[in-house]
Amino acid sequence: MTANGRLRGRSLEPVAGNGLIDRRALIGRGIAFAGAMTGVGVTGAAAEPLTDAPWSREMGAVTPALQTPSRFEKHVVRTLSNPDNEFRNSHARTPHHLLNGTVTPNSLHFSINHSGLPDIDPDRHRLAIHGLVKQPMVYTVEALSRYPMVSRMAFLECGGNSAPMFSNEPLQASAQALHGLVSCAEWTGVKLSTLLEETGVDPAAKWFIAEGADSHALSRSVPLKKGFDDAMIALYQNGERLMPGNGYPMRLLLPGYEGNMNVKFLRRIKLVDAPAMSMYEARTYSQILPDGKAYRFYFLQEVKSFITHPSFGHSLKGPGFYEISGIAYSGAGRIAKVMVSADGGKSYAEAALQAPVLPKAFTRFRMPWRWDGQPVVLQSRAWDEGGNVQPTRAEFVALRGETKAPPPLLGFPNQHYNSLTSWAIDANGGVKHVYA
Ligand SMILES: Nc1nc2c(c(=O)[nH]1)N[C@H]1C(S)=C(S)[C@@H](COP(=O)(O)O)O[C@H]1N2
Ligand SMILES: [Mo]
């Protein structure tokens, strides 16, 4: 027998409860799954010869200068918390249940703006680096564009992402509504260390304050060590200039750190000897714990994963083969392992991780599954290369607490949820959010 034949024979046997199949079946996918999809929209070629639809018989439309998705994809949009632009912050959430892969398209990257979208003229924008430096400097966008640049993939997550998961009852909401404040892009720009080498640093400097050019001048204190590590002044996002909602014309990128610290519309970096205790670090992002203590300077977005396919908003069209897939990431480094369960955490099987697995970036995991049509509960759990693991819900709630449904959107506790997400599939293929 061939290797594929052996693999096929062995791998289609379930390796964990409710039909999870060995991830190695994905290697020989064409052979292992041949025949399995018949009757679910895949038909034998002989059954129905192709006929020409109207678009096959005439000249197509003009090829546009700037292309947008097909009109049949109009539902694939961000959801907005402040569509009338009232005088408060605005959130736009990424539709994870409608995307795949690991890159968030720029038009769908999540966005949080505390005082609207500034209309910044790149020719008039300036970045100043001053404070405890040897030589203060002011940079134009054009000047910065001439420095050596680097590109890297990085996820960006708001500390308040998944806040609805603090509710003591599972809210019936999509991955977009629950987890839409995280996205992943390839960022290109100048490393902050390159600029700090130019300005020189006074040995007394231990932190820097980053400030944005939007009207509420968001500012956060960052340990100088991060500035010399992987901090970047990002100018490009997935190959094009930053989107206005993501910080045009430049932003601070702190891979793995709380979204709020990634200051957009960046105009100032001031080196200081102690943190500023600005509003966001002293108030919003000093997480209060059930015992009355608080986490101060809780920068890291910890290891996390959630299943995007299938998830709330989808429905399964009858028993048979499906691929379970989702996103895993950790602010501490690479994802090491993702385990998937179809029986609410009683048994787990290891998912396949799609290469390349990059540090502090989305990793797509995939798990072959044969659904027998009975109710099941799907969940995923991730480990990172530092040995950190996503806490179970019971562990997380014991440490961090929960609130009565519906949870307050602002207020406490609502930061840094990184526990598990569970989706219950009923016998009709409907998907519900549950705690398991
Ligand atoms: N200048 C400025 N920077 C900002 C914000 C802002 O409103 N103004 N929002 C912050 C918050 S709360 C988050 S979570 C991230 C979101 O980055 P994104 O909008 O590019 O996704 O930007 C941060 N940086
Ligand atoms: Mo945020």
Side-chain angles (χ1 to χ4, degrees):
M1 242 211 299
T2 64
N4 274 334
R6 276 201 305 280
L7 179 69
R8 178 187 180 182
R10 185 187 63 205
S11 65
L12 292 184
E13 293 302 315
V15 290
N18 288 341
L20 294 184
I21 292 166
D22 194 311
R23 68 189 186 284
R24 284 167 291 187
L26 295 175
I27 301 166
R29 185 189 305 232
I31 290 167
F33 289 87
M37 297 305 208
T38 309
V40 292
V42 185
T43 43
E48 221 177 289
L50 289 178
T51 53
D52 280 343
W55 54 79
S56 299
R57 282 188 240 113
E58 60 191 28
M59 175 75 178
V62 65
T63 301
L66 188 66
Q67 62 178 358
T68 54
S70 159
R71 67 188 176 92
F72 297 102
E73 301 296 324
K74 283 241 159 34
H75 58 292
V76 185
V77 292
R78 304 186 300 177
T79 44
L80 306 182
S81 68
N82 184 7
D84 299 327
N85 208 24
E86 288 165 14
F87 200 75
R88 57 183 169 91
N89 61 10
S90 304
H91 306 69
R93 290 177 160 83
T94 297
H96 291 298
H97 59 307
L98 303 174
L99 301 175
N100 213 312
T102 54
V103 176
T104 312
N106 289 343
S107 54
L108 298 173
H109 195 289
F110 90 93
S111 194
I112 299 186
N113 294 299
H114 294 285
S115 52
L117 274 190
D119 181 27
I120 299 181
D121 176 349
D123 292 336
R124 290 168 57 199
H125 182 81
R126 298 287 182 274
L127 168 65
I129 301 186
H130 67 123
L132 295 173
V133 296
K134 299 207 165 99
Q135 174 60 59
M137 299 283 283
V138 174
Y139 301 89
T140 62
V141 178
E142 202 193 325
L144 268 188
S145 301
R146 293 175 60 173
Y147 281 72
M149 292 202 209
V150 291
S151 297
R152 70 160 297 156
M153 298 291 298
F155 79 84
L156 185 69
E157 182 175 38
C158 178
N161 192 32
S162 317
M165 303 291 289
F166 279 97
S167 163
N168 63 348
E169 283 161 27
L171 302 183
Q172 295 313 312
S174 65
Q176 176 171 30
L178 297 175
H179 305 304
L181 299 178
V182 64
S183 301
C184 186
E186 186 207 59
W187 303 94
T188 299
V190 182
K191 285 195 78 173
L192 180 53
S193 59
T194 304
L195 303 180
L196 292 178
E197 274 153 25
E198 183 174 46
T199 61
V201 172
D202 182 323
K206 295 285 176 286
W207 295 72
F208 67 87
I209 304 167
E211 181 191 77
D214 44 347
S215 61
H216 82 321
L218 186 141
S219 65
R220 288 291 303 258
S221 312
V222 183
L224 190 55
K225 217 173 139 212
K226 183 73 170 171
F228 278 106
D229 179 16
D230 56 1
M232 181 199 286
I233 313 297
L235 299 165
Y236 294 86
Q237 174 184 3
N238 291 329
E240 60 184 351
R241 289 281 186 185
L242 299 185
M243 282 282 158
N246 301 114
Y248 184 86
M250 63 179 73
R251 80 175 305 160
L252 181 62
L253 184 76
L254 301 174
Y257 276 19
E258 187 169 79
N260 188 266
M261 302 172 75
N262 293 254
V263 175
K264 302 189 280 190
F265 326 113
L266 183 69
R267 72 166 179 189
R268 181 197 309 277
I269 288 190
K270 183 177 183 186
L271 276 67
V272 291
D273 60 359
M277 304 312 290
S278 69
M279 179 183 84
Y280 286 105
E281 62 213 46
R283 178 185 151 272
T284 314
Y285 293 103
S286 285
Q287 177 70 65
I288 297 171
L289 301 171
D291 66 5
K293 296 195 169 139
Y295 282 145
R296 222 163 64 169
F297 304 128
Y298 190 168
F299 299 146
L300 204 65
Q301 294 298 123
E302 291 172 290
V303 61
K304 184 161 165 180
S305 72
F306 52 89
I307 292 170
T308 57
H309 300 77
S311 64
F312 186 93
H314 298 154
S315 61
L316 303 192
K317 310 273 180 281
F321 281 94
Y322 290 90
E323 181 177 84
I324 299 168
S325 99
I327 295 164
Y329 51 94
S330 168
R334 286 182 183 77
I335 288 298
K337 182 172 75 173
V338 177
M339 301 296 282
V340 170
S341 177
D343 53 15
K346 287 199 223 34
S347 65
Y348 279 94
E350 190 171 348
L353 302 185
Q354 185 176 287
V357 177
L358 299 170
K360 307 178 190 180
F362 278 3
T363 295
R364 174 68 55 177
F365 61 88
R366 301 184 188 281
M367 181 87 226
W369 175 47
R370 190 206 314 255
W371 183 45
D372 68 2
Q374 298 302 308
V376 302
V377 175
L378 305 180
Q379 64 177 220
S380 65
R381 190 174 190 198
W383 279 253
D384 68 24
E385 60 185 347
N388 307 298
V389 57
Q390 262 185 290
T392 63
R393 177 141 186 113
E395 288 166 352
F396 186 86
V397 168
L399 182 66
R400 304 288 306 283
E402 59 184 359
T403 54
K404 264 179 115 61
L409 263 183
L410 287 172
F412 309 99
N414 67 355
Q415 304 295 332
H416 289 263
Y417 181 93
N418 75 323
S419 182
L420 314 182
T421 302
S422 302
W423 305 116
I425 318 278
D426 64 30
N428 297 321
V431 184
K432 269 211 154 80
H433 178 213
V434 295
Y435 288 154

